[in-house]
Amino acid sequence: MNPSAFHELFTVRDLLRYAVSQFNATKLSFGHGSDNAWDEAVYLLLHTLHLPLDTLEPFLDARVLTDERERFLTMVDRRMTERVPAAYLTGEAWLQGHRFVVDQRVIVPRSPISELLAQDLSPWVADPDDVEFVLDLCTGSGCLAVLAALAFPNAQVDAVDLSEHALELANENIEQFGLDGRIATHRSDLFEQMPQCLYDVIVCNPPYVNNHAMESLPAEYRHEPTLALAGGEDGMDIVRRILERAPEFLAPGGILVLEIGNEYENFIAAFPELEPVWLSTENSDDQILLLTQDQLTS
């Protein structure tokens, strides 16, 4: 920790300015909840001070206590020296206004599928009340399973992951939302150990990062479980297995919503016969695809 920082920074404004300068100077990589130094510094500071995350202005000139300054500067130091994503430092991640418990057992929740669930997958789901069974494949923290349960109030949701450790954390989040009666977790290698069920909706954010991209990942992403990121030579190893078995688990008229990140070209090369609908989100038009049960069985 910079000794002068500890003795010369007194207000929220001081600490915020210092953190932004340090984050920019050390060229941190973002993408785990924020995409710039300012937003991340604001989040870490408000979190440390136990202040509302959407209210900064009234507190900018407030002086901080010695222990508050120490806690924040320690967090800033770890963010820079260890390149730990902010969510792992705070133990939480926010998605669509909901707080999820997070640690290094899972990747940091950030899937843009969450945006689509916040819109009830409209217009692809005509009536959210009619959805009976939902599967969240590769659930990780359980965040998409929770959001699916909130979007489809009458649905039973299955949350599946290969990692026992991930499922432990998913269960924490499910219980936190009071949804343990509606969301069941299953340890399974994709569909392999799953009981037969026909789902109206399957959502999946699988490992899809290709080998070349894995080798050049920023340090921040290397804190996340490799199992949840690596998708093989072209990023499509897990996707191939999902598309092969998904038709057996989709109800007539059911849909599969699948995230492939930056692997659009590799997906097109691997599945030239498919014609998915590409779903737009705030930051992309080619990272999430939708396939119907009819398309996958034809």
Side-chain angles (χ1 to χ4, degrees):
M1 186 187 301
N2 186 332
S4 64
F6 189 77
H7 295 292
E8 297 175 20
L9 303 175
F10 301 106
T11 68
V12 170
R13 191 187 302 273
D14 291 340
L15 290 172
L16 183 56
R17 197 284 308 161
Y18 172 79
V20 173
S21 295
Q22 293 298 303
F23 288 173
N24 284 330
T26 50
K27 294 182 169 54
L28 296 183
S29 289
F30 303 101
H32 292 95
S34 62
D35 60 5
N36 62 83
W38 169 265
D39 286 345
E40 189 140 311
V42 169
Y43 164 65
L44 289 174
L45 184 52
L46 292 174
H47 173 88
T48 303
L49 298 177
H50 305 290
L51 293 172
L53 297 182
D54 59 355
T55 308
L56 171 66
E57 191 68 30
F59 304 107
L60 278 171
D61 294 313
R63 291 172 68 93
V64 297
L65 299 174
T66 300
D67 67 317
E68 292 175 327
R69 181 166 61 240
E70 183 174 3
R71 285 203 309 273
F72 178 65
L73 292 176
T74 297
M75 193 172 287
V76 167
D77 189 59
R78 285 196 65 200
R79 180 69 184 90
M80 293 188 301
T81 58
E82 300 176 35
R83 303 285 167 140
V84 181
Y88 291 153
L89 293 172
T90 63
E92 67 178 23
W94 291 80
L95 208 55
Q96 300 302 312
H98 298 285
R99 177 186 177 275
F100 295 92
V101 178
V102 172
D103 61 30
Q104 289 181 243
R105 288 175 286 182
V106 299
I107 62 171
V108 176
R110 55 185 178 273
S111 173
I113 291 176
S114 64
E115 296 178 41
L116 304 173
L117 288 172
Q119 301 161 14
D120 304 333
L121 289 179
S122 176
W124 306 103
V125 170
D127 186 344
D129 290 340
D130 290 342
V131 175
E132 295 183 280
F133 298 102
V134 177
L135 172 63
D136 176 21
L137 204 58
C138 307
T139 193
S141 64
C143 59
L144 294 183
V146 167
L147 294 177
L150 298 176
F152 308 120
N154 297 322
Q156 290 294 314
V157 181
D158 287 328
V160 176
D161 207 286
L162 179 59
S163 167
E164 233 179 296
H165 301 301
L167 290 174
E168 290 170 359
L169 184 62
N171 280 320
E172 289 182 43
N173 281 313
I174 292 164
E175 289 169 15
Q176 171 184 274
F177 282 84
L179 291 168
D180 38 320
R182 291 186 49 221
I183 304 177
T185 56
H186 304 267
R187 188 180 183 208
S188 177
D189 183 4
L190 300 178
F191 297 104
E192 297 304 318
Q193 289 79 39
M194 286 294 295
Q196 184 59 44
C197 179
L198 295 180
Y199 295 98
D200 303 295
V201 175
I202 299 176
V203 296
C204 183
N205 176 20
Y208 53 67
V209 182
N210 69 68
N211 284 353
H212 176 72
M214 283 295 296
E215 292 170 4
S216 57
L217 282 177
E220 283 83 351
Y221 291 84
R222 297 183 182 277
H223 287 276
E224 297 185 297
T226 299
L227 181 69
L229 294 173
E233 182 62 31
D234 64 351
M236 294 294 109
D237 284 4
I238 306 299
V239 172
R240 287 185 180 88
R241 294 179 56 203
I242 291 167
L243 295 183
E244 182 181 353
R245 295 293 307 278
E248 303 168 41
F249 290 83
L250 278 170
I255 58 173
L256 167 67
V257 177
L258 180 68
E259 180 174 342
I260 59 158
N262 297 318
E263 304 294 335
Y264 175 83
E265 296 297 336
N266 283 330
F267 180 88
I268 296 299
F271 308 102
E273 74 285 0
L274 291 179
E275 296 182 356
V277 175
W278 293 95
L279 304 179
S280 296
T281 60
E282 183 178 353
N283 295 313
S284 73
D285 295 312
D286 59 4
Q287 296 190 359
I288 301 174
L289 60 95
L290 181 146
L291 289 161
T292 65
Q293 190 259 359
D294 285 343
Q295 286 177 291
L296 287 168
T297 52
S298 61

